[in-house]
């Protein structure tokens, strides 16, 4: 998962600080997510999926399909 969130952040030309502000956490806490030193809370995982317009399954490497699921 660390690769996916880092790749997405870099693909959007964003810094860790910018993403940490979106998640309302410190930059250090976010860097721990990217380096897999800390698990990402579900709420933050959902925020990232919404922000990047992808699915949580994509962030968790459960699928290679970036497109989010249709909401029912």
């Amino acid at each position: 998962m660390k690769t996916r969130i880092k790749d997405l952040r870099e693909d959007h030309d964003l810094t860790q600080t910018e993403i940490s502000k979106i998640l309302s956490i410190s930059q250090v806490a976010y860097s721990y997510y990217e380096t897999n030193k800390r698990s990402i809370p579900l709420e933050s995982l959902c925020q990232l999926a919404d922000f990047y317009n992808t699915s949580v399954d994509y962030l968790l490497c459960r699928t290679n399909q970036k497109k989010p699921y249709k909401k029912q």
Side-chain angles (χ1 to χ4, degrees):
M1 180 172 51
K2 62 181 177 178
T3 303
R4 291 259 164 100
I5 63 171
K6 182 178 181 179
D7 288 346
L8 284 168
R9 179 179 58 78
E10 290 176 344
D11 288 348
H12 286 81
D13 295 321
L14 297 167
T15 65
Q16 288 183 346
T17 301
E18 291 169 319
I19 296 298
S20 67
K21 287 180 183 178
I22 291 166
L23 298 176
S24 300
I25 60 172
S26 71
Q27 179 274 324
V28 173
Y30 180 77
S31 72
Y32 287 165
Y33 299 159
E34 281 194 4
T35 58
N36 219 20
K37 290 182 181 177
R38 185 180 292 167
S39 296
I40 301 176
L42 183 57
E43 181 180 335
S44 296
L45 198 58
C46 291
Q47 285 179 292
L48 288 171
D50 289 344
F51 179 77
Y52 290 123
N53 194 34
T54 192
S55 68
V56 171
D57 280 347
Y58 178 76
L59 296 178
L60 295 173
C61 298
R62 293 176 53 124
T63 183
N64 289 325
Q65 182 68 31
K66 281 187 178 181
K67 191 173 181 180
Y69 302 117
K70 292 182 182 180
K71 296 186 180 188
Q72 297 181 7

